[in-house]
Amino acid sequence: LFQSGKRREEILDGLEEALILADVGVAASGRVLEALRTKTRKDAGEADLERALKDELAAMLSRRADGRPDGSGPTVILMVGVNGGGKTTSAAKLAARFKRDGKRVMLAAADTFRAAAQEQLALWGKKLGVPVVKGSYGADPAAVVFDAIQSFKAQQGDVLVVDTAGRIHTNTNLMNELEKVKRIVVREHPGARLESLLVLDATIGQNAIPQAREFLKFSGLTGIFLTKVDGTAKGGAVVAIAEELDLPIRFIGVGEGEDDLFEFSPREFVEALLS
Amino acid sequence: QLSERLERMMKFLRGEVKVTDKNMAEALKMMRLAFLEADVNYKVVRDFEARIKEKALGEEVLRSLSPAQQVIKIVRDELAGILGGQQKPLLFSSRPPSVIMLVGLQGSGKTTTCGKLARWVAGIGKSPLLVSFDLKRPAAQEQLKTIATSLGFPFYEMTSARMASPKEALKELLVHTANRGFDPLIVDTAGRLHVDDELMEELRLVRAILDPTEVVYVGDAMTGQDAVRSAQAFEEKIGLTSVILTKLDGDARGGAALSIVAVTGRPIKFIGVGEKPDKFEVFHPERMASRILG
Ligand SMILES: Nc1nc2c(ncn2[C@@H]2O[C@H](COP(=O)(O)OP(=O)(O)OP(=O)(O)O)[C@@H](O)[C@H]2O)c(=O)[nH]1
Ligand SMILES: Nc1nc2c(ncn2[C@@H]2O[C@H](COP(=O)(O)OP(=O)(O)OP(=O)(O)O)[C@@H](O)[C@H]2O)c(=O)[nH]1
Ligand SMILES: [Mg+2]
Ligand SMILES: [Mg+2]
């Protein structure tokens, strides 16, 4: 009996280590393991424990699973997040996906700050055959969004994907700028469904959690777009985010091309997390 | 904070005069927690723990500090020692032009850092020429050209026509750089996954032709456990000379710094602390150590 008790703790420690290595974080891993301890039988074997863990994680990530934007318009999707996470590329992927679904799609290049940011999105628009509303370099991003909304309404578009500049979530001025962009959308197109997606790089560690908190506060968030999942990083920080902020993962990015996009599947994600 | 936790533990250890295996285990557990929360890689943490244990149980303990204070000091010194151990300034060739090549994962900040590096070397009297080998990302050439132009530095346009015969294109670039007296040549490369064998091989070939004095791994300070995997792969497949850690203006603890240095053995020479070209600093190991420890 003593032997099986020791073995159980060894297995549970191993599972906790796997979660930590996947960037789930020490605190969240501890909580998940605690839930596992109470929910599983004392004599559960390794396979049972592992399956129970996967069930637990999948359940955490399945809350609010329905409600993914499907482009039945009018929908405005705001792409927000810290620098370099993949917002511009992911905006293009969403535009491609909804266009392929037969929707009337537009893009707004509201990153008026970074070098060649608008040119980057404009090239995507050209490639995909999706119109891109731009502004002048250094202009107020809210002005670009305003113009984009007028155009979007005039053309009775289904989906408008708004690309914003990368910003560090601790920069209050930039976070206020984002809040203003959101207000413009709500004010100018109150009838539209507003989706605010946090574009999160799967390689990020625990800092993903404060990022999610801040962006939730300033731009409101309706979901997460997890990028660069084609790398080796597991993106486990989304577990803690789902737990604390109840944010669903809507899409995952698996490459640099416009088709490298999947709808999020909790089961598949959890399998990969522990592989 | 690690120091807070260890101070709390001090109360529990009060009266004890030397570090023992027993009170050491508690201190190490707290240190492990702090490091993991700071995104230091799990295996790097375990190795670090072993080093600390060895030091703490050794000669040094017979001082006036309490055991907990002693452990904190050893941890801080050891951390700063690893981070700053190989410290060297930016390397230049004795036969100009020097080539500085920036590599790393997608979105880590390479293109932006090229501009920062150019501005920094100009500040020590050099004449940089910037070039980008990224022919894939939309407007990548334009991004570096815009940065170069805004800073007043020359930009060499690498076109897909030129890159059709890469060996010739690279040799032509080096000749151009030497003839115009530019030094260093700062080379931006496309972001790539360390598991993309084809792109890693492409990078290895470019490096072989350019023979750079610096191959700089540009890493994002918010990287989590994966930091060792990518950095190690770039070190093994390409060979690195140094590291630049970006986005330290955020509030990520930056444990990736320790992970990357521990696994590659290469020094961090600079850090990025913002998007603008002047947001660039020489790396300070003690400051990074404090940041990681929280
Ligand atoms: N491998 C991989 N690369 C990606 C993915 N998504 C984006 N990228 C790459 O990541 C890099 C950054 O992408 P961007 O779309 O420019 O990121 P961003 O968030 O708009 O960046 P900023 O606007 O500068 O903040 C580019 O090289 C993209 O090709 C993905 O899912 N997988
Ligand atoms: N806040 C902050 N942002 C930075 C820093 N360094 C770079 N960035 C931003 O990070 C984003 C990505 O930078 P890039 O220079 O395009 O990254 P990259 O590595 O060249 O990207 P790829 O070529 O797609 O691999 C941009 O928004 C930059 O402005 C930094 O130190 N701090
Ligand atoms: Mg962008
Ligand atoms: Mg680049």
Side-chain angles (χ1 to χ4, degrees), chain A:
Chain A
L1 202 69
F2 174 70
Q3 193 71 332
S4 73
K6 184 177 198 314
R7 179 100 184 94
R8 176 178 166 85
E9 276 315 303
E10 263 185 299
I11 296 169
L12 291 173
D13 282 350
L15 291 175
E16 188 164 4
E17 180 175 325
L19 291 178
I20 292 172
L21 283 170
D23 280 319
V24 174
V26 178
S29 302
R31 284 194 296 276
V32 172
L33 259 298
E34 218 30 54
L36 203 64
R37 278 195 179 86
T38 52
K39 289 180 183 177
T40 55
R41 294 164 51 116
K42 289 273 178 287
D43 63 352
E46 177 148 24
D48 292 328
L49 287 172
E50 190 162 324
R51 192 173 324 112
L53 175 60
K54 288 180 180 174
D55 290 345
E56 181 73 17
L57 291 168
M60 285 170 79
L61 295 170
S62 299
R63 306 205 305 245
R64 313 249 244 109
D66 42 319
R68 180 181 2 253
D70 62 359
S72 48
T75 304
V76 178
I77 305 179
L78 210 52
M79 310 295 283
V80 306
V82 302
N83 307 76
K87 296 175 293 299
T88 305
T89 310
S90 303
K93 289 175 183 178
L94 288 175
R97 136 86 54 127
F98 289 124
K99 178 162 193 219
R100 200 175 54 236
D101 290 349
K103 309 293 180 192
R104 299 169 65 89
V105 187
M106 282 177 67
L107 283 161
D111 179 355
T112 52
F113 170 75
R114 207 209 67 208
Q118 298 194 74
E119 287 77 355
Q120 183 186 2
L121 193 67
L123 282 168
W124 274 115
K126 189 149 165 261
K127 179 171 194 222
L128 303 175
V130 172
V132 182
V133 174
K134 290 166 55 186
S136 40
Y137 184 64
D140 183 354
V144 177
V145 174
F146 180 89
D147 291 345
I149 297 273
Q150 307 318 318
S151 213
F152 183 59
K153 289 195 293 191
Q155 302 191 19
Q156 304 198 311
D158 297 313
V159 185
L160 171 65
V161 187
V162 180
D163 183 24
T164 67
R167 68 202 67 224
I168 295 291
H169 55 288
T170 50
N171 184 321
T172 312
N173 288 340
L174 293 184
M175 296 305 282
N176 284 331
E177 176 188 271
L178 195 57
E179 184 170 33
K180 182 176 169 197
V181 162
K182 181 193 171 202
R183 265 185 281 131
I184 299 278
V185 176
V186 173
R187 190 189 72 201
E188 294 300 314
H189 206 339
R193 170 180 173 172
L194 175 59
E195 289 286 333
S196 225
L197 295 182
L198 176 66
V199 179
L200 211 50
D201 187 328
T203 64
I204 300 180
Q206 295 311 294
N207 199 240
I209 301 159
Q211 287 177 26
R213 283 190 205 118
E214 289 309 301
F215 278 97
L216 178 62
K217 217 189 312 170
F218 284 89
S219 61
L221 291 177
T222 55
I224 292 173
F225 192 130
L226 187 67
T227 63
K228 309 180 197 173
V229 175
D230 46 320
T232 51
K234 306 284 177 141
V238 296
V239 171
I241 293 174
E243 192 190 32
E244 180 182 323
L245 304 174
D246 202 18
L247 274 175
I249 303 168
R250 292 306 193 200
F251 300 98
I252 59 168
V254 294
E256 305 192 64
E258 66 266 25
D259 294 329
D260 295 325
L261 168 74
F262 280 115
E263 293 185 356
F264 178 71
S265 147
R267 265 293 147 192
E268 286 182 29
F269 180 79
V270 168
E271 286 295 331
L273 196 74
L274 291 170
S275 63

